[in-house]
Amino acid sequence: MGTFKAIRIDKADKGTTAALTQFDEAELMEGDVTVAVEWSTLNYKDGLAVTGKAPVVRRFPMIAGIDFAGTVEQSSHPAWKTGDKVVCNGWGMGETHLGAYAEKARVKGDWLVRLPDGISTREAMAIGTAGYTAMLSVLALEKHGLTPKSGPIVVTGAAGGVGSVASAVLSKLGYHVIASTGRMSEADYLKGLGAAEVIDRAELAGPAKPLAKERWAGGVDSVGSTTLANLLSMTEYGGAIAACGLAAGMDLPSSVAPFILRGVCLLGIDSVMCPIEQRKLAWNRLASDLDKGKLADITHEIGLDQVIGAGAEILAGKVRGRIVVKIP
């Protein structure tokens, strides 16, 4: 047993500490597949973990990082063999199970998804949990019955990771995308992703009316709170909003009016414990429905030693698009 580089989070007298250090392989948790991690990414939840701004870490010591892509090194699981390319998101990694900001990860084989043909491990993490969550949201809207003919789709937090991928995928599928952002300076970036309109998030910031003017057939919301309440009040009859984030808060200051007077549906999107078959579908759809050129345009790369600083930036709303983390 040797050691490997990892971002380790420990309990401190006040909160937690995070540092890039050597981690003992003997301390890895139980699992039937060991993966040589090649790439990870930076998500909002990762920012909370490495900065200690919220108590998302529930086991110490913890290796941060909620998703990775890499190559199977050892396996006693029947589905996986040495050399297989895999991706893993969620399942408590970085919270209750040692995570992805490390040169090695040991997980349950049932958590892994085979990397689709045509997607590299770097591209998989350029998509990451944010992009996979965006695709789960699109799948939910489709299951509800929405199509490009239904009407516009609003995307909140559009310049962030979830919003960027959602905007790119929806526009490629033919939807009229309305991108909502607090950074109107990013309007050209968002239109480059395919957004037909860009609106200031201030339009969704005030107290929500029970019912407001109908503006969109559906939406993908990563913000929550008052923003989500306003989205619901402005959704057309029979429409739906896929809720997948809570950057502005966990509260929902809304009323039942959109649900019982307009038949609007609120679709909950969970990426962490999502069943494996839905995960496979999402990743396969991403392989076909996400423009790789646009993916490259919204992605920039950092090293493992830059993650902690970048974690503070993502919480401050300063990160545009996707960050991939090269490991080691």
Side-chain angles (χ1 to χ4, degrees):
M1 292 283 183
T3 63
F4 55 87
K5 286 182 183 177
I7 293 181
R8 175 177 172 139
I9 299 177
D10 286 289
K11 191 80 172 161
D13 290 340
K14 293 183 179 179
T16 60
T17 60
L20 178 59
T21 185
Q22 291 292 317
F23 199 90
D24 193 330
E25 194 169 345
E27 287 190 72
L28 283 174
M29 297 170 71
E30 289 185 7
D32 48 14
V33 180
T34 302
V35 177
V37 179
E38 297 169 15
W39 296 92
S40 186
T41 184
L42 184 73
N43 297 283
Y44 192 84
K45 189 181 286 185
D46 298 316
L48 293 174
V50 298
T51 61
K53 294 292 186 184
V56 296
V57 177
R58 299 176 204 163
R59 174 201 187 274
F60 298 95
M62 175 54 66
I63 295 175
I66 66 171
D67 51 8
F68 66 76
T71 304
V72 172
E73 198 172 74
Q74 293 178 306
S75 173
S76 58
H77 189 285
W80 306 108
K81 64 181 187 303
T82 301
D84 285 342
K85 297 290 186 181
V86 295
V87 61
C88 191
N89 322 64
W91 301 116
M93 283 197 304
E95 300 174 74
T96 56
H97 191 94
L98 295 176
Y101 293 151
E103 294 176 281
K104 289 183 187 289
R106 184 174 295 144
V107 296
K108 295 180 181 179
D110 290 344
W111 293 357
L112 299 171
V113 173
R114 193 173 303 279
L115 206 60
D117 291 340
I119 294 183
S120 68
T121 51
R122 187 187 188 279
E123 287 168 338
M125 285 299 99
I127 295 167
T129 291
Y132 147 75
T133 302
M135 192 72 236
L136 290 176
S137 300
V138 173
L139 291 171
L141 294 175
E142 289 179 344
K143 186 176 180 181
H144 182 75
L146 296 183
T147 71
K149 292 181 180 179
S150 301
I153 301 292
V154 63
V155 177
T156 64
V162 173
S164 292
V165 177
S167 298
V169 168
L170 286 163
S171 65
K172 186 177 179 184
L173 291 172
Y175 288 89
H176 180 102
V177 176
I178 301 174
S180 165
T181 180
R183 294 175 275 172
M184 290 301 289
S185 58
E186 302 286 15
D188 288 343
Y189 163 79
L190 292 167
K191 287 181 178 178
L193 291 179
E197 300 176 52
V198 180
I199 64 172
D200 195 308
R201 71 179 177 198
E203 294 186 32
L204 305 171
K209 298 177 181 178
L211 291 175
K213 182 182 177 181
E214 296 173 81
R215 296 179 66 178
W216 33 72
V220 176
D221 176 56
S222 60
V223 178
S225 191
T226 302
T227 296
L228 177 55
N230 275 290
L231 289 190
L232 291 165
S233 75
M234 298 175 187
T235 300
E236 295 172 2
Y237 189 93
I241 301 294
C244 60
L246 42 72
M250 199 177 285
D251 60 319
L252 181 57
S254 182
S255 74
V256 297
F259 310 120
I260 63 173
L261 296 177
R262 285 187 183 159
V264 170
C265 286
L266 178 59
L267 310 173
I269 308 299
D270 168 55
S271 66
V272 177
M273 304 305 289
C274 179
I276 198 72
E277 290 305 317
Q278 189 75 353
R279 290 170 182 263
K280 291 176 182 177
L281 176 59
W283 279 104
N284 285 325
R285 283 288 300 272
L286 283 160
S288 62
D289 294 342
L290 179 58
D291 185 318
K292 283 190 180 180
K294 289 181 180 177
L295 182 64
D297 290 343
I298 68 174
T299 303
H300 71 277
E301 182 181 317
I302 64 174
L304 206 48
D305 59 343
Q306 297 170 279
V307 166
I308 295 172
E313 290 187 357
I314 199 170
L315 297 189
K318 296 179 180 178
V319 171
R320 179 175 86 176
R322 304 288 298 124
I323 293 178
V324 289
V325 180
K326 191 177 190 319
I327 298 172

